[in-house]
Amino acid sequence: MGSWGVLGPALLSLAGVVLGVGGSLFGQLFVSRASTRQFEVEASAAHRAQLREAVLGFVAVALRVEKVAFPDSRGDGSVSGAGPAPVAACVPGELLHELWLAQAGVDLAAGSEALRGAAYRYARCLAESAGGEASDEAVLRGAQVEFMDAAYEDMWPGRPRVAAE
């Protein structure tokens, strides 16, 4: 029979083992990539949920501070009086403490420096307004818009915001 009669089946068996190992490694690589992608999706969803809670908490406190700092605000960004009421004595220190605590929550949950900076600037504008230092509500609205845009970008990076019609 010759050497191929003995060597042939051994080589075919070896080729089968090599193909089996290669297929097994390819399958493991495919499963590993799918698991990694699933983990990334779950981590992104968890980050969005955590950030959403922090942003909503911050906005809730910010609105409470705004109500005290701008009692004559009509809700359209304009002020009906000549200026804000003297609020230095009106805004309790505890409310300002809540504001900075909520800002710190956003700072911890934020995934970008843009959001951290926007949250700080918005909180600073609110605190200055509450302390009677700044009375321009337009500056406050600009900081608020910057904060909301940064929060959206941090939650859904790369997705354009669609304006409501």
Side-chain angles (χ1 to χ4, degrees):
M1 211 161 125
S3 64
W4 282 110
V6 175
L7 198 55
L11 287 176
L12 287 176
S13 296
L14 183 60
V17 168
V18 168
L19 283 175
V21 167
S24 178
L25 289 175
F26 178 74
Q28 287 296 320
L29 178 65
F30 182 73
V31 167
S32 175
R33 284 187 178 175
S35 296
T36 300
R37 180 65 187 139
Q38 182 180 3
F39 174 76
E40 288 171 354
V41 167
E42 290 172 359
S44 178
H47 171 257
R48 270 194 308 278
Q50 182 182 22
L51 183 57
R52 178 180 172 269
E53 291 301 316
V55 166
L56 288 176
F58 179 70
V59 169
V61 175
L63 290 176
R64 288 177 35 215
V65 172
E66 273 189 51
K67 282 183 181 180
V68 174
F70 296 100
D72 295 334
S73 179
R74 294 187 299 229
D76 60 357
S78 63
V79 178
S80 61
V87 294
C90 297
V91 177
E94 188 174 309
L95 185 57
L96 289 178
H97 178 71
E98 283 183 50
L99 175 69
W100 287 111
L101 187 61
Q103 184 272 330
V106 171
D107 195 39
L108 290 172
S112 69
E113 277 303 313
L115 179 56
R116 288 182 183 98
Y120 174 78
R121 285 185 291 278
Y122 183 34
R124 189 188 69 223
C125 283
L126 281 166
E128 288 173 355
S129 296
E133 296 174 29
S135 61
D136 189 8
E137 197 171 0
V139 172
L140 184 64
R141 291 293 159 242
Q144 182 184 38
V145 167
E146 179 190 5
F147 168 73
M148 294 307 285
D149 287 344
Y152 184 90
E153 179 62 30
D154 203 358
M155 283 188 229
W156 294 283
R159 283 191 189 172
R161 285 185 79 171
V162 178
E165 296 179 19

